Amino acid sequence: MQPYGVNQLRKMFLEFFESKGHLALKSFSLVPHNDKSLLLINSGMAPLKPYFTGQEIPPRKRVTTCQKCIRTGDIENVGKTARHGTFFEMLGNFSFGDYFKEEAIQWTWEFLTEVVGLDPDRLYPSVYVDDDEAFEIWNKKIGIPAERIFKFGKEDNFWEHGSGPCGPCSEVYYDRGEKYGCGRPDCTVGCDCDRYMEIWNDVFTQFDNDGNGNYSELEQKNIDTGMGLERLASVVQDVDSIFDVDTLKALRDHVCELAGKEYGKDYNNDVSIRVITDHIRSVTFMISDGIMPSNEGRGYVLRRLLRRACRHGRLLGIHKGFLPELAQTVIEGSKDGYPELEEKKEFILKVITKEEEQFNKTIDQGLGILSDMIADMEAKGEKTLNGDDAFRLYDTYGFPLDLTKEILEEKGMDVDEEGFKASMEVQRTTARNAREVTNYMGADVTVYESIDPSVTSTFVGYDNLTWESDVTVLTTEDELTDALSEGQKGTVFVNETPFYAASGGQEADTGYIRTAEGEFKVEDTVKLLGGKIGHIGVMTKGMIKVGDKVSLEVDAKKRALSARNHSATHLLQKALRTVLGTHVEQAGSSVNEDRLRFDFTHFSAMTAEELKKVEDMVNEQISNGLPVIVKNMPIEEAKKTGAQALFGEKYGDIVRVVNMGDFSIEFCGGTHVKNTSEIMAFKIISETGVAAGVRRIEALTSEGLMKYYADIEEKLKAAAHLLKATPDNLSDKISHMLAENKSFHSEIESLKSKMAQEAAGDVMDQVKEVKGVKLLAAQIDGVDMNGLRDLGDQLKEKLGDGVVVLASGNDGKVSLMATATDGAMKKGAHAGNLVKGIAGCVGGGGGGRSNMAQAGGKNPAGIPDALEKAAEVLEGQIN
């Protein structure tokens, strides 16, 4: 069995199930979508619940994922043991009414034994005690002897969560060997020790529980598989715990390096090292999904983890900001599976830096005050901190309650949590009362609700861009008023208006409302309860009073451009349904005068060919000059015409139907062109995914498109000017420069190799023997890492058999490289461990494979010590 790394195992799992017809979905966000039962995604199945319940149609009946998860239920134990963690990755394969037990079990076995290479004799399946079908498959189809299949009861091998779908489970345990066991002669599967580790769990969802313990067979039976990636890695790499697997160990080692501590030497230090290692992973991933530190909900979980890591850094003696540096190690180790980490790297580091700095500003003061509180309690013989005091620490110094509890626990004390909650509620009530007076949004809602319910508005803007009407109501930002004067912000209501209020994805009209003496600039138009249409904006001159007759004028250019983009979305939807299939439904849109955005249901990225077909089809209908006919008709009559309705939208008895020739017919309340030729042209700028099964197209028409092309033309001219070319011959010029650059690069590499050889001179006289293995350890300054590697290969050939260690100092930085021949490695030499062993001398770190490794450092003065230590480290490696 090869000791595959975490990133390899993730890739192997997803590719295996793709080969079995599964659609590999990217990990969903840690923020649950439309699921109020969860604060954070805590299992591979959680984001897929709509597919299991039938609320949503899955993109395919077979799906596989590697889902990032966070669980904080046992956060107090994180660090105290090597088992507990808050962040983990869950591998899963899922069937929505497709395959069932036989395939699931067979693929479990195939992946573990044939792909990963686990020893079949060390794998032990378990089944639910009454699940004879699963037992038979393991026994008869897979060939596991009956005595090696364990039957467990409901507590262990039956998955259910109240009423609803449920079913038996089949788990697979791996015997890690006696070194992980408890030593008892009866130690076997189910023992609490670490010898028999559960690595795979197949859940067979086949029953429906009515909530009273009555079970009926489900028509659609599902498979829900879960396997912890880090747990699998610990088995494959044969290490003690998840903190020892490759990616976590790299992070753990970085913590140790920053703290100047060695893992495994001191329990208290180990607790802090594990806390930081785990928490910085959670923090980094949470921020990458848009979660921000706050005092409530998910943001509080994030802040709690970050501050807990911060404090444990101080316990290790790290007093400078260190978490952003660790976050970079998290990103580096996980970006293969989660490219969004690298994409959002700058943002992630900025958030962590800011939060750490903010906490560090108050923690010293808070710790001092808590110390005084503890001293006072000790003097009084008390063991419980007052809830008001705990809240003061939280409110003034940013101490999360669990941090206060943790510090008190170390002193054998606790805190009055109920008193803390009571103080928190008093603060929230005070804040709520204050908001009713000062918060604009709260006041805004109140002022609109104060309007007489009989006041309503009629929209007359489909055929009119100007209109005269009477002012019925005026408001400032926080109260009803009889007049608005110059400089005041407010809202104007009239009987009839040509202004379109934002709805259906189309942005609101803007423009002006005027009287003989006054002018009001309309910046937004909103629909409110009771059919009211509010014109929000500012008085630019004069005054408007309730009862005034006003002239309303919509910005005609903005309306026309918005209408072109809106009409284009109708043509686009029909084209998408024609090219991709009738599964395409509108999932949202946003239209203004500059561009259009259209979200639609589809389960894979569109190909370049599909995008071109759609674009060509839309442009064809624009050039055809289709008349746009709008009719109001009873909804049943409209449905008979085949009009496309917006999925999930509620309609009244009479609906507005928009026909574009015979090509497109849709329900729609928005504004449109009279003829498709007004759209002029259509260009797709981007096609991206925004959610599982939802894609997004952004596109331009008419003036927006002309501006886009003008901008591209300017950039093309600027690029051509820089390269002393013209737009016509720019491509040829770039091709020539690339070829020239390639030639120069080759010459430079050749010169660097020659310079490295000259810098090395004759170093072969520095060869020494260490327990029968030749070692060449030499300093060659002025050579970069690539040069050291090339030189190392050349010197290794000259050496014949042995180990080469080279060091170079450049501009205050050190490059270290070690390489070993096959013969030296057979005797125990390991380049990676050798480099790791000497890198500390130059103030750095590194490592690598047994045959080649490298490291960096910041202390050139330590090079002689490092080279001298190389012999000592090598001596310890040789058998």
Side-chain angles (χ1 to χ4, degrees):
M1 178 177 66
Q2 293 187 45
Y4 297 111
V6 165
N7 290 317
Q8 286 175 291
L9 287 168
R10 185 193 303 111
K11 188 169 182 284
M12 288 160 65
F13 181 88
L14 294 174
E15 287 180 349
F16 173 78
F17 278 100
E18 280 185 297
S19 75
K20 304 298 183 186
H22 292 64
L23 174 66
L25 296 178
K26 278 183 64 178
S27 173
F28 292 82
S29 168
L30 284 165
V31 180
H33 179 66
N34 290 335
D35 186 349
K36 293 180 181 176
S37 68
L38 292 175
L39 200 59
L40 293 158
I41 291 298
N42 61 5
S43 71
M45 183 273 279
L48 305 175
K49 280 198 281 190
Y51 301 149
F52 282 110
T53 60
Q55 290 173 305
E56 289 185 35
I57 298 171
R60 197 180 292 173
K61 286 192 171 184
R62 299 180 180 186
V63 162
T64 184
T65 63
C66 182
Q67 176 64 43
K68 48 195 174 187
C69 304
I70 286 183
R71 292 180 187 171
T72 57
D74 54 3
I75 190 172
E76 284 77 14
N77 290 320
V78 174
K80 294 177 184 174
T81 76
R83 285 183 178 187
H84 292 88
T86 59
F87 179 87
F88 61 97
E89 296 179 58
M90 185 64 80
L91 300 166
N93 59 286
F94 308 92
S95 166
F96 310 109
D98 187 8
Y99 63 84
F100 203 47
K101 292 183 186 179
E102 187 164 334
E103 294 90 338
I105 290 172
Q106 284 179 343
W107 292 335
T108 299
W109 189 254
E110 182 182 344
F111 180 76
L112 291 177
T113 59
E114 296 181 25
V115 178
V116 178
L118 295 181
D119 182 353
D121 293 333
R122 298 171 74 171
L123 292 170
Y124 295 81
S126 73
V127 297
Y128 177 51
V129 64
D130 294 333
D131 191 356
D132 296 333
E133 184 185 1
F135 183 90
E136 288 294 309
I137 295 168
W138 280 114
N139 184 224
K140 298 290 195 295
K141 298 286 176 65
I142 305 300
I144 308 293
E147 62 272 14
R148 281 185 50 206
I149 305 171
F150 289 76
K151 291 185 174 184
F152 294 131
K154 262 198 173 185
E155 188 176 330
D156 295 302
N157 276 61
F158 195 94
W159 183 88
E160 62 183 333
H161 192 71
S163 60
C166 57
C169 313
S170 179
E171 298 176 331
V172 179
Y173 295 80
Y174 180 76
D175 180 1
R176 307 177 72 206
E178 291 182 6
K179 64 180 176 179
Y180 294 107
C182 56
R184 296 203 305 265
D186 60 343
C187 179
T188 186
V189 171
C191 182
D192 288 336
C193 72
D194 291 335
R195 175 171 177 175
Y196 294 90
M197 182 182 280
E198 178 223 323
I199 55 172
W200 193 298
N201 186 11
D202 281 315
V203 178
F204 310 123
T205 313
Q206 63 186 104
F207 301 114
D208 183 63
N209 180 356
D210 68 359
N212 297 310
N214 300 310
Y215 299 91
S216 56
E217 286 272 345
L218 286 171
E219 278 188 39
Q220 177 181 301
K221 296 178 173 62
N222 304 314
I223 291 292
D224 162 21
T225 286
M227 173 166 62
L229 176 58
E230 295 88 349
R231 184 177 285 201
L232 176 65
S234 67
V235 165
V236 171
Q237 295 173 24
D238 192 22
V239 292
D240 277 350
S241 75
I242 61 170
F243 291 97
D244 300 300
V245 303
D246 58 327
T247 51
L248 271 84
K249 184 177 182 298
L251 184 56
R252 190 195 78 195
D253 288 346
H254 195 168
V255 177
C256 292
E257 181 189 330
L258 291 172
K261 309 289 184 188
E262 189 176 346
Y263 187 69
K265 296 292 184 183
D266 177 89
Y267 173 74
N268 289 328
N269 286 344
D270 288 352
V271 168
S272 294
I273 291 165
R274 286 192 290 260
V275 165
I276 297 167
T277 301
D278 170 77
H279 287 8
I280 191 61
R281 291 178 85 212
S282 292
V283 164
T284 303
F285 274 90
M286 288 172 80
I287 296 169
S288 79
D289 280 337
I291 300 169
M292 297 292 287
S294 72
N295 285 336
E296 290 186 342
R298 285 181 282 271
Y300 180 66
V301 175
L302 170 60
R303 175 163 283 167
R304 182 181 178 193
L305 291 167
L306 199 149
R307 291 184 169 182
R308 198 165 184 254
C310 215
R311 177 180 173 260
H312 278 276
R314 286 171 166 257
L315 292 178
L316 289 173
I318 310 173
H319 291 281
K320 64 183 179 76
F322 69 103
L323 293 179
E325 192 175 334
L326 292 175
Q328 292 193 60
T329 302
V330 175
I331 293 167
E332 196 60 35
S334 299
K335 65 183 181 183
D336 283 357
Y338 304 96
E340 65 269 19
L341 292 173
E342 182 67 31
E343 291 163 12
K344 297 176 182 176
K345 179 177 176 178
E346 189 177 340
F347 175 71
I348 293 167
L349 300 183
K350 192 177 291 183
V351 172
I352 293 174
T353 301
K354 186 178 177 184
E355 183 71 9
E356 187 176 12
E357 285 174 354
Q358 187 180 324
F359 187 48
N360 279 334
K361 283 176 185 175
T362 57
I363 191 171
D364 287 326
Q365 200 173 356
L367 283 170
I369 289 171
L370 180 55
S371 294
D372 291 343
M373 290 177 178
I374 290 170
D376 189 48
M377 288 164 63
E378 287 174 338
K380 295 176 180 176
E382 296 173 354
K383 289 287 185 180
T384 301
L385 180 67
N386 182 288
D388 287 340
D389 287 339
F391 180 74
R392 186 157 59 90
L393 282 166
Y394 163 79
D395 194 38
T396 309
Y397 302 105
F399 265 51
L401 179 62
D402 74 298
L403 181 53
T404 301
K405 281 169 63 181
E406 192 172 300
I407 294 169
L408 289 168
E409 189 181 296
E410 290 164 7
K411 302 283 186 181
M413 298 174 171
D414 60 14
V415 63
D416 174 15
E417 291 190 51
E418 291 306 314
F420 175 89
K421 289 174 185 173
S423 296
M424 173 77 86
E425 189 52 41
V426 168
Q427 188 208 51
R428 283 179 176 158
T429 302
T430 304
R432 274 197 299 270
N433 292 337
R435 277 201 298 272
E436 286 174 10
V437 176
T438 62
N439 181 274
Y440 172 70
M441 290 305 292
D444 192 42
V445 171
T446 303
V447 70
Y448 290 158
E449 288 179 348
S450 301
I451 298 171
D452 187 327
S454 66
V455 173
T456 189
S457 312
T458 302
F459 176 63
V460 295
Y462 287 128
D463 301 306
N464 304 281
L465 295 178
T466 59
W467 198 258
E468 286 195 352
S469 189
D470 297 322
V471 175
T472 54
V473 175
L474 292 172
T475 79
T476 64
E477 290 181 285
D478 50 20
E479 62 183 352
L480 298 181
T481 184
D482 291 327
L484 286 174
S485 302
E486 187 172 326
Q488 276 192 295
K489 292 181 180 180
T491 307
V492 177
F493 294 84
V494 296
N495 284 319
E496 297 173 323
T497 177
F499 281 80
Y500 182 82
S503 65
Q506 182 176 338
E507 291 188 13
D509 281 335
T510 59
Y512 288 90
I513 299 175
R514 296 184 175 95
T515 65
E517 299 86 22
E519 180 181 85
F520 181 86
K521 184 180 181 183
V522 180
E523 297 170 336
D524 194 11
T525 310
V526 294
K527 277 185 180 177
L528 298 167
L529 291 173
K532 300 175 189 65
I533 296 175
H535 307 81
I536 300 172
V538 61
M539 284 298 301
T540 52
K541 65 179 181 180
M543 177 186 287
I544 288 181
K545 303 182 296 299
V546 171
D548 280 353
K549 186 170 283 295
V550 292
S551 172
L552 300 103
E553 184 181 336
V554 172
D555 182 332
K557 185 175 182 181
K558 181 178 186 292
R559 163 74 79 85
L561 292 173
S562 297
R564 291 173 190 178
N565 283 328
H566 189 182
S567 295
T569 64
H570 284 229
L571 298 177
L572 172 60
Q573 176 163 221
K574 181 57 187 288
L576 286 167
R577 288 173 67 85
T578 304
V579 172
L580 301 178
T582 54
H583 64 278
V584 168
E585 297 275 359
Q586 182 176 338
S589 68
S590 177
V591 173
N592 61 23
E593 71 272 29
D594 298 318
R595 52 106 187 107
L596 67 92
R597 191 180 75 207
F598 188 79
D599 295 349
F600 58 99
T601 54
H602 186 55
F603 305 112
S604 60
M606 290 177 67
T607 64
E609 184 183 6
E610 288 169 340
L611 286 168
K612 187 175 187 309
K613 279 184 181 176
V614 167
E615 198 176 86
D616 289 348
M617 192 175 292
V618 173
N619 280 310
E620 182 183 358
Q621 301 311 318
I622 292 170
S623 64
N624 285 344
L626 304 176
V628 178
I629 310 297
V630 179
K631 294 178 182 175
N632 290 315
M633 60 179 73
I635 189 166
E636 292 307 319
E637 185 183 333
K639 285 178 179 176
K640 289 173 185 175
T641 68
Q644 184 73 24
L646 185 60
F647 187 73
E649 184 74 13
K650 292 181 179 178
Y651 294 95
D653 294 334
I654 302 296
V655 293
R656 189 166 180 267
V657 179
V658 179
N659 284 68
M660 295 186 182
D662 295 327
F663 183 73
S664 164
I665 177 167
E666 290 189 32
F667 292 14
C668 184
T671 64
H672 289 281
V673 296
K674 301 293 184 187
N675 188 289
T676 58
S677 61
E678 294 175 40
I679 301 170
M680 295 171 61
F682 173 84
K683 176 68 182 172
I684 294 173
I685 302 303
S686 68
E687 189 272 348
T688 55
V690 291
V694 178
R695 308 295 301 175
R696 171 172 292 169
I697 279 177
E698 299 209 35
L700 301 171
T701 72
S702 62
E703 282 193 17
L705 182 51
M706 296 308 292
K707 288 177 186 173
Y708 172 75
Y709 282 138
D711 186 46
I712 287 179
E713 187 177 13
E714 284 303 310
K715 288 176 181 175
L716 187 61
K717 285 178 181 176
H721 178 71
L722 286 171
L723 297 178
K724 294 182 172 60
T726 66
D728 288 339
N729 67 9
L730 184 58
S731 179
D732 292 338
K733 182 80 172 180
I734 291 172
S735 296
H736 175 71
M737 290 179 69
L738 287 172
E740 196 173 46
N741 187 52
K742 188 176 180 181
S743 174
F744 286 154
H745 181 73
S746 180
E747 284 182 36
I748 290 167
E749 289 302 313
S750 177
L751 285 169
K752 282 168 71 176
S753 178
K754 187 176 179 183
M755 288 168 64
Q757 290 176 41
E758 288 173 356
D762 187 10
V763 294
M764 295 304 291
D765 58 357
Q766 296 180 41
V767 175
K768 60 174 76 170
E769 278 208 10
V770 177
K771 293 174 75 171
V773 174
K774 282 189 261 183
L775 170 66
L776 170 56
Q779 179 171 353
I780 301 164
D781 286 330
V783 180
D784 64 12
M785 188 60 80
N786 287 334
L788 286 184
R789 282 198 297 265
D790 291 342
L791 194 56
D793 288 340
Q794 295 168 27
L795 292 172
K796 191 166 64 171
E797 283 186 28
K798 286 185 182 180
L799 199 62
D801 204 8
V803 176
V804 176
V805 179
L806 300 178
S808 177
N810 284 308
D811 300 325
K813 294 180 180 177
V814 179
S815 296
L816 281 176
M817 190 282 310
T819 181
T821 63
D822 291 342
M825 286 189 290
K826 285 177 183 174
K827 293 179 181 177
H830 191 291
N833 293 339
L834 198 159
V835 156
K836 195 180 294 180
I838 66 173
C841 297
V842 293
R849 304 185 304 274
S850 56
N851 65 329
M852 204 288 288
Q854 63 189 51
K858 301 172 184 175
N859 178 24
I863 289 177
D865 291 340
L867 295 175
E868 189 174 333
K869 191 175 181 182
E872 177 190 328
V873 175
L874 179 61
E875 185 176 356
Q877 293 181 343
I878 304 305
N879 300 325

